[in-house]
Amino acid sequence: MLEAKMRDFRHSDYDSYASIHNAFDPTHPLFLERARYEDSCFGRTRYRMKRYVAESDRGEMVGVGGFEHLFFSYHPHRFALSVEVHPTWQRRGIGGLLYERLESELRSAGAEAAWAIVESTHSESVAFVRKRGFAEKRRFLESTLDLTSFDPAKFEPRAKELESKGIVFASLAEEMSRDPTSGRKLYELENSADRDVPNIVKPKPMSYHDYNIIILKSPVMLWEGSFVAKKDYLYVGSSSVIKSGLKDTIEQGFTAVRPGFRRRGLAQAVKLMVAKHARSHGVKSILTHNDSRNEAILTVNEKLGFVRRSERIEFEKVLQD
């Protein structure tokens, strides 16, 4: 076993953190702009995070581990836990040392449970968490829409039908430029829809204060490519997009439809607006992640042409009875 030194993560560690993460999981490179901003939200909101690094005896950063509240699966006593060790330094006990530090701190703080999200194809990572008492709770599906072959024409009739019934589609950038209450209206819409999205816990709703910091002020949100559906002045549907950090690719965020306006094709229509705008601006692919139990949105995605690319497993370990 290597004698690794543990220390707190520093702001100057981000580039080394990205190198470790990208070597550990090259199919999902760390998008530093997003990572830096979201880290800055901890401490300014109700969400908490702690991160450590492992260094070799030469001072080389060889591993990273941390725990944090999840923004959209918030429970005050449950945290997501992650451990990443550079492949050239694996099988030397570094991951185990990081994990032991993290679990000890969580137990001391009275945490009820820890979650670990692992690529289903990373057999060693799956074995690592299972060995430490984690059990599978749910799966996330990652899918992509190829905009180079996407044909919006066959989806236009439904959108036109909605417009004939008084639904108006607009980009959120337009809405924000002319309506100072648009951010709060989007927050209220997403909260109304989020209650019905499958989750690992029944999350406590995000406050508008935190939503404003984490979402509305985020530099990675692409409001000009995000769309809302309105009925008079009421927001009844929306779909947001985010910078992905990948070439010619954007990430689809939350697609929300207000209860009472469902089963009318609104989710498909707002996602259509997103896809059309993205394609017209040279984007070649849209990436999205969904709970495998969210049959409604998975059906919409399949109709639009999203193809499943990979799968992640969320594990849970109970820390306090």
mmCIF file of all heavy atoms in Angstrom, residues 179-211:
data_model
loop_
_atom_site.group_PDB
_atom_site.id
_atom_site.type_symbol
_atom_site.label_atom_id
_atom_site.label_comp_id
_atom_site.label_asym_id
_atom_site.label_seq_id
_atom_site.Cartn_x
_atom_site.Cartn_y
_atom_site.Cartn_z
ATOM 1 N N ASP A 179 -39.455 40.302 -19.534
ATOM 2 C CA ASP A 179 -40.309 40.046 -18.371
ATOM 3 C C ASP A 179 -39.434 39.821 -17.143
ATOM 4 O O ASP A 179 -38.814 38.768 -16.997
ATOM 5 C CB ASP A 179 -41.183 38.820 -18.630
ATOM 6 C CG ASP A 179 -42.114 38.499 -17.463
ATOM 7 O OD1 ASP A 179 -42.064 39.213 -16.442
ATOM 8 O OD2 ASP A 179 -42.882 37.519 -17.576
ATOM 9 N N PRO A 180 -39.367 40.789 -16.235
ATOM 10 C CA PRO A 180 -38.507 40.641 -15.053
ATOM 11 C C PRO A 180 -38.944 39.527 -14.106
ATOM 12 O O PRO A 180 -38.180 39.138 -13.223
ATOM 13 C CB PRO A 180 -38.602 42.010 -14.371
ATOM 14 C CG PRO A 180 -39.871 42.610 -14.880
ATOM 15 C CD PRO A 180 -40.046 42.094 -16.269
ATOM 16 N N THR A 181 -40.155 39.007 -14.291
ATOM 17 C CA THR A 181 -40.625 37.913 -13.429
ATOM 18 C C THR A 181 -40.412 36.540 -14.068
ATOM 19 O O THR A 181 -40.834 35.527 -13.509
ATOM 20 C CB THR A 181 -42.120 38.082 -13.105
ATOM 21 O OG1 THR A 181 -42.901 37.878 -14.299
ATOM 22 C CG2 THR A 181 -42.404 39.467 -12.543
ATOM 23 N N SER A 182 -39.766 36.492 -15.230
ATOM 24 C CA SER A 182 -39.645 35.222 -15.958
ATOM 25 C C SER A 182 -38.879 34.170 -15.160
ATOM 26 O O SER A 182 -39.228 32.985 -15.199
ATOM 27 C CB SER A 182 -38.976 35.449 -17.314
ATOM 28 O OG SER A 182 -37.667 35.967 -17.142
ATOM 29 N N GLY A 183 -37.831 34.585 -14.445
ATOM 30 C CA GLY A 183 -37.058 33.626 -13.662
ATOM 31 C C GLY A 183 -37.896 32.972 -12.585
ATOM 32 O O GLY A 183 -37.836 31.749 -12.387
ATOM 33 N N ARG A 184 -38.688 33.772 -11.895
ATOM 34 C CA ARG A 184 -39.548 33.203 -10.851
ATOM 35 C C ARG A 184 -40.640 32.331 -11.458
ATOM 36 O O ARG A 184 -41.022 31.302 -10.889
ATOM 37 C CB ARG A 184 -40.154 34.315 -9.990
ATOM 38 C CG ARG A 184 -40.888 33.783 -8.773
ATOM 39 C CD ARG A 184 -41.266 34.881 -7.815
ATOM 40 N NE ARG A 184 -40.135 35.376 -7.056
ATOM 41 C CZ ARG A 184 -39.679 34.793 -5.941
ATOM 42 N NH1 ARG A 184 -40.230 33.678 -5.490
ATOM 43 N NH2 ARG A 184 -38.660 35.320 -5.295
ATOM 44 N N LYS A 185 -41.149 32.705 -12.627
ATOM 45 C CA LYS A 185 -42.178 31.899 -13.293
ATOM 46 C C LYS A 185 -41.606 30.545 -13.732
ATOM 47 O O LYS A 185 -42.270 29.504 -13.624
ATOM 48 C CB LYS A 185 -42.748 32.668 -14.487
ATOM 49 C CG LYS A 185 -43.655 33.821 -14.069
ATOM 50 C CD LYS A 185 -43.844 34.847 -15.171
ATOM 51 C CE LYS A 185 -44.678 34.356 -16.309
ATOM 52 N NZ LYS A 185 -44.965 35.457 -17.285
ATOM 53 N N LEU A 186 -40.355 30.554 -14.206
ATOM 54 C CA LEU A 186 -39.719 29.294 -14.583
ATOM 55 C C LEU A 186 -39.485 28.427 -13.349
ATOM 56 O O LEU A 186 -39.721 27.208 -13.375
ATOM 57 C CB LEU A 186 -38.392 29.573 -15.292
ATOM 58 C CG LEU A 186 -37.616 28.342 -15.761
ATOM 59 C CD1 LEU A 186 -38.391 27.572 -16.821
ATOM 60 C CD2 LEU A 186 -36.239 28.743 -16.301
ATOM 61 N N TYR A 187 -39.039 29.049 -12.277
ATOM 62 C CA TYR A 187 -38.827 28.340 -11.006
ATOM 63 C C TYR A 187 -40.114 27.669 -10.537
ATOM 64 O O TYR A 187 -40.123 26.493 -10.152
ATOM 65 C CB TYR A 187 -38.323 29.335 -9.962
ATOM 66 C CG TYR A 187 -38.443 28.883 -8.529
ATOM 67 C CD1 TYR A 187 -37.548 27.959 -7.994
ATOM 68 C CD2 TYR A 187 -39.440 29.397 -7.696
ATOM 69 C CE1 TYR A 187 -37.654 27.549 -6.669
ATOM 70 C CE2 TYR A 187 -39.548 28.995 -6.377
ATOM 71 C CZ TYR A 187 -38.655 28.071 -5.865
ATOM 72 O OH TYR A 187 -38.764 27.670 -4.552
ATOM 73 N N GLU A 188 -41.211 28.407 -10.594
ATOM 74 C CA GLU A 188 -42.491 27.867 -10.132
ATOM 75 C C GLU A 188 -42.954 26.710 -11.022
ATOM 76 O O GLU A 188 -43.456 25.694 -10.530
ATOM 77 C CB GLU A 188 -43.521 29.002 -10.117
ATOM 78 C CG GLU A 188 -44.831 28.657 -9.424
ATOM 79 C CD GLU A 188 -45.838 28.021 -10.376
ATOM 80 O OE1 GLU A 188 -45.795 28.332 -11.589
ATOM 81 O OE2 GLU A 188 -46.654 27.207 -9.908
ATOM 82 N N LEU A 189 -42.758 26.849 -12.342
ATOM 83 C CA LEU A 189 -43.117 25.770 -13.261
ATOM 84 C C LEU A 189 -42.300 24.516 -12.971
ATOM 85 O O LEU A 189 -42.851 23.408 -12.864
ATOM 86 C CB LEU A 189 -42.883 26.213 -14.709
ATOM 87 C CG LEU A 189 -42.899 25.096 -15.763
ATOM 88 C CD1 LEU A 189 -44.275 24.446 -15.850
ATOM 89 C CD2 LEU A 189 -42.453 25.621 -17.121
ATOM 90 N N GLU A 190 -40.983 24.671 -12.846
ATOM 91 C CA GLU A 190 -40.130 23.504 -12.630
ATOM 92 C C GLU A 190 -40.426 22.839 -11.290
ATOM 93 O O GLU A 190 -40.399 21.603 -11.191
ATOM 94 C CB GLU A 190 -38.657 23.902 -12.747
ATOM 95 C CG GLU A 190 -38.254 24.264 -14.171
ATOM 96 C CD GLU A 190 -36.758 24.351 -14.368
ATOM 97 O OE1 GLU A 190 -36.020 24.329 -13.362
ATOM 98 O OE2 GLU A 190 -36.320 24.437 -15.529
ATOM 99 N N ASN A 191 -40.719 23.629 -10.269
ATOM 100 C CA ASN A 191 -41.087 23.040 -8.979
ATOM 101 C C ASN A 191 -42.376 22.235 -9.086
ATOM 102 O O ASN A 191 -42.517 21.171 -8.482
ATOM 103 C CB ASN A 191 -41.250 24.135 -7.919
ATOM 104 C CG ASN A 191 -40.013 24.292 -7.056
ATOM 105 O OD1 ASN A 191 -39.052 23.543 -7.191
ATOM 106 N ND2 ASN A 191 -40.032 25.266 -6.170
ATOM 107 N N SER A 192 -43.336 22.745 -9.856
ATOM 108 C CA SER A 192 -44.613 22.039 -9.991
ATOM 109 C C SER A 192 -44.435 20.708 -10.709
ATOM 110 O O SER A 192 -45.144 19.742 -10.428
ATOM 111 C CB SER A 192 -45.628 22.910 -10.747
ATOM 112 O OG SER A 192 -45.324 22.980 -12.135
ATOM 113 N N ALA A 193 -43.478 20.658 -11.640
ATOM 114 C CA ALA A 193 -43.247 19.434 -12.406
ATOM 115 C C ALA A 193 -42.315 18.470 -11.694
ATOM 116 O O ALA A 193 -42.439 17.249 -11.839
ATOM 117 C CB ALA A 193 -42.676 19.786 -13.777
ATOM 118 N N ASP A 194 -41.375 19.003 -10.914
ATOM 119 C CA ASP A 194 -40.339 18.179 -10.291
ATOM 120 C C ASP A 194 -40.913 17.175 -9.297
ATOM 121 O O ASP A 194 -40.335 16.118 -9.063
ATOM 122 C CB ASP A 194 -39.318 19.081 -9.596
ATOM 123 C CG ASP A 194 -38.081 18.315 -9.146
ATOM 124 O OD1 ASP A 194 -37.531 17.564 -9.966
ATOM 125 O OD2 ASP A 194 -37.683 18.463 -7.983
ATOM 126 N N ARG A 195 -42.067 17.497 -8.727
ATOM 127 C CA ARG A 195 -42.665 16.611 -7.725
ATOM 128 C C ARG A 195 -42.992 15.235 -8.291
ATOM 129 O O ARG A 195 -43.104 14.260 -7.542
ATOM 130 C CB ARG A 195 -43.930 17.256 -7.149
ATOM 131 C CG ARG A 195 -43.662 18.469 -6.284
ATOM 132 C CD ARG A 195 -44.915 18.895 -5.538
ATOM 133 N NE ARG A 195 -45.887 19.519 -6.423
ATOM 134 C CZ ARG A 195 -45.978 20.831 -6.628
ATOM 135 N NH1 ARG A 195 -45.136 21.649 -6.019
ATOM 136 N NH2 ARG A 195 -46.902 21.331 -7.427
ATOM 137 N N ASP A 196 -43.177 15.145 -9.611
ATOM 138 C CA ASP A 196 -43.580 13.882 -10.231
ATOM 139 C C ASP A 196 -42.427 13.146 -10.913
ATOM 140 O O ASP A 196 -42.638 12.098 -11.523
ATOM 141 C CB ASP A 196 -44.690 14.140 -11.257
ATOM 142 C CG ASP A 196 -45.925 14.749 -10.617
ATOM 143 O OD1 ASP A 196 -46.255 14.341 -9.491
ATOM 144 O OD2 ASP A 196 -46.537 15.638 -11.232
ATOM 145 N N VAL A 197 -41.218 13.697 -10.830
ATOM 146 C CA VAL A 197 -40.062 13.053 -11.449
ATOM 147 C C VAL A 197 -39.518 11.990 -10.493
ATOM 148 O O VAL A 197 -39.335 12.263 -9.303
ATOM 149 C CB VAL A 197 -38.966 14.093 -11.765
ATOM 150 C CG1 VAL A 197 -37.715 13.408 -12.312
ATOM 151 C CG2 VAL A 197 -39.490 15.115 -12.763
ATOM 152 N N PRO A 198 -39.254 10.761 -10.970
ATOM 153 C CA PRO A 198 -38.694 9.728 -10.081
ATOM 154 C C PRO A 198 -37.410 10.212 -9.420
ATOM 155 O O PRO A 198 -36.586 10.873 -10.050
ATOM 156 C CB PRO A 198 -38.419 8.556 -11.033
ATOM 157 C CG PRO A 198 -39.321 8.779 -12.193
ATOM 158 C CD PRO A 198 -39.433 10.267 -12.346
ATOM 159 N N ASN A 199 -37.238 9.883 -8.144
ATOM 160 C CA ASN A 199 -36.055 10.324 -7.417
ATOM 161 C C ASN A 199 -35.695 9.280 -6.376
ATOM 162 O O ASN A 199 -36.512 8.425 -6.021
ATOM 163 C CB ASN A 199 -36.308 11.681 -6.751
ATOM 164 C CG ASN A 199 -35.049 12.529 -6.658
ATOM 165 O OD1 ASN A 199 -33.979 12.043 -6.304
ATOM 166 N ND2 ASN A 199 -35.169 13.811 -6.989
ATOM 167 N N ILE A 200 -34.475 9.370 -5.873
ATOM 168 C CA ILE A 200 -34.015 8.417 -4.859
ATOM 169 C C ILE A 200 -34.574 8.759 -3.481
ATOM 170 O O ILE A 200 -34.646 7.920 -2.592
ATOM 171 C CB ILE A 200 -32.468 8.361 -4.836
ATOM 172 C CG1 ILE A 200 -31.994 7.114 -4.090
ATOM 173 C CG2 ILE A 200 -31.869 9.637 -4.270
ATOM 174 C CD1 ILE A 200 -30.520 6.823 -4.262
ATOM 175 N N VAL A 201 -34.954 10.011 -3.285
ATOM 176 C CA VAL A 201 -35.618 10.464 -2.065
ATOM 177 C C VAL A 201 -36.761 11.380 -2.483
ATOM 178 O O VAL A 201 -36.862 11.780 -3.638
ATOM 179 C CB VAL A 201 -34.666 11.262 -1.138
ATOM 180 C CG1 VAL A 201 -33.586 10.382 -0.567
ATOM 181 C CG2 VAL A 201 -34.068 12.459 -1.865
ATOM 182 N N LYS A 202 -37.603 11.730 -1.532
ATOM 183 C CA LYS A 202 -38.571 12.783 -1.782
ATOM 184 C C LYS A 202 -37.860 14.090 -1.452
ATOM 185 O O LYS A 202 -37.727 14.466 -0.289
ATOM 186 C CB LYS A 202 -39.808 12.613 -0.902
ATOM 187 C CG LYS A 202 -40.900 13.623 -1.210
ATOM 188 C CD LYS A 202 -42.149 13.364 -0.392
ATOM 189 C CE LYS A 202 -43.237 14.375 -0.759
ATOM 190 N NZ LYS A 202 -44.469 14.144 0.037
ATOM 191 N N PRO A 203 -37.342 14.787 -2.481
ATOM 192 C CA PRO A 203 -36.478 15.938 -2.193
ATOM 193 C C PRO A 203 -37.245 17.121 -1.627
ATOM 194 O O PRO A 203 -38.425 17.319 -1.923
ATOM 195 C CB PRO A 203 -35.884 16.281 -3.564
ATOM 196 C CG PRO A 203 -36.874 15.768 -4.548
ATOM 197 C CD PRO A 203 -37.511 14.565 -3.919
ATOM 198 N N LYS A 204 -36.550 17.898 -0.807
ATOM 199 C CA LYS A 204 -37.121 19.133 -0.297
ATOM 200 C C LYS A 204 -36.939 20.191 -1.382
ATOM 201 O O LYS A 204 -35.830 20.388 -1.878
ATOM 202 C CB LYS A 204 -36.422 19.542 0.997
ATOM 203 C CG LYS A 204 -36.580 18.514 2.113
ATOM 204 C CD LYS A 204 -35.871 18.954 3.381
ATOM 205 C CE LYS A 204 -35.985 17.878 4.463
ATOM 206 N NZ LYS A 204 -37.356 17.626 4.887
ATOM 207 N N PRO A 205 -38.013 20.871 -1.792
ATOM 208 C CA PRO A 205 -37.918 21.809 -2.917
ATOM 209 C C PRO A 205 -36.819 22.854 -2.720
ATOM 210 O O PRO A 205 -36.586 23.340 -1.613
ATOM 211 C CB PRO A 205 -39.306 22.463 -2.945
ATOM 212 C CG PRO A 205 -40.209 21.472 -2.284
ATOM 213 C CD PRO A 205 -39.377 20.808 -1.232
ATOM 214 N N MET A 206 -36.153 23.181 -3.805
ATOM 215 C CA MET A 206 -35.128 24.216 -3.787
ATOM 216 C C MET A 206 -35.786 25.578 -3.588
ATOM 217 O O MET A 206 -36.828 25.862 -4.182
ATOM 218 C CB MET A 206 -34.364 24.191 -5.121
ATOM 219 C CG MET A 206 -33.201 25.163 -5.205
ATOM 220 S SD MET A 206 -32.356 25.116 -6.827
ATOM 221 C CE MET A 206 -31.553 23.519 -6.766
ATOM 222 N N SER A 207 -35.193 26.420 -2.756
ATOM 223 C CA SER A 207 -35.721 27.768 -2.563
ATOM 224 C C SER A 207 -35.428 28.618 -3.797
ATOM 225 O O SER A 207 -34.511 28.317 -4.574
ATOM 226 C CB SER A 207 -35.083 28.422 -1.336
ATOM 227 O OG SER A 207 -33.714 28.702 -1.588
ATOM 228 N N TYR A 208 -36.189 29.696 -3.960
ATOM 229 C CA TYR A 208 -35.922 30.576 -5.097
ATOM 230 C C TYR A 208 -34.545 31.223 -4.961
ATOM 231 O O TYR A 208 -33.844 31.422 -5.961
ATOM 232 C CB TYR A 208 -36.995 31.661 -5.222
ATOM 233 C CG TYR A 208 -36.730 32.576 -6.398
ATOM 234 C CD1 TYR A 208 -36.896 32.126 -7.705
ATOM 235 C CD2 TYR A 208 -36.260 33.877 -6.204
ATOM 236 C CE1 TYR A 208 -36.619 32.938 -8.788
ATOM 237 C CE2 TYR A 208 -35.983 34.700 -7.283
ATOM 238 C CZ TYR A 208 -36.167 34.229 -8.572
ATOM 239 O OH TYR A 208 -35.882 35.037 -9.637
ATOM 240 N N HIS A 209 -34.135 31.529 -3.741
ATOM 241 C CA HIS A 209 -32.799 32.093 -3.515
ATOM 242 C C HIS A 209 -31.728 31.177 -4.098
ATOM 243 O O HIS A 209 -30.818 31.622 -4.818
ATOM 244 C CB HIS A 209 -32.571 32.283 -2.013
ATOM 245 C CG HIS A 209 -31.161 32.647 -1.651
ATOM 246 N ND1 HIS A 209 -30.183 31.687 -1.411
ATOM 247 C CD2 HIS A 209 -30.544 33.846 -1.500
ATOM 248 C CE1 HIS A 209 -29.037 32.285 -1.134
ATOM 249 N NE2 HIS A 209 -29.231 33.595 -1.173
ATOM 250 N N ASP A 210 -31.828 29.875 -3.804
ATOM 251 C CA ASP A 210 -30.830 28.927 -4.288
ATOM 252 C C ASP A 210 -30.967 28.694 -5.791
ATOM 253 O O ASP A 210 -29.968 28.564 -6.505
ATOM 254 C CB ASP A 210 -30.956 27.604 -3.531
ATOM 255 C CG ASP A 210 -30.516 27.731 -2.079
ATOM 256 O OD1 ASP A 210 -30.067 28.822 -1.677
ATOM 257 O OD2 ASP A 210 -30.628 26.732 -1.338
ATOM 258 N N TYR A 211 -32.195 28.640 -6.285
ATOM 259 C CA TYR A 211 -32.436 28.449 -7.720
ATOM 260 C C TYR A 211 -31.833 29.605 -8.522
ATOM 261 O O TYR A 211 -31.244 29.396 -9.588
ATOM 262 C CB TYR A 211 -33.939 28.361 -7.958
ATOM 263 C CG TYR A 211 -34.355 28.079 -9.385
ATOM 264 C CD1 TYR A 211 -34.432 26.774 -9.861
ATOM 265 C CD2 TYR A 211 -34.704 29.118 -10.251
ATOM 266 C CE1 TYR A 211 -34.836 26.509 -11.164
ATOM 267 C CE2 TYR A 211 -35.106 28.863 -11.550
ATOM 268 C CZ TYR A 211 -35.168 27.557 -12.004
ATOM 269 O OH TYR A 211 -35.564 27.310 -13.294
#
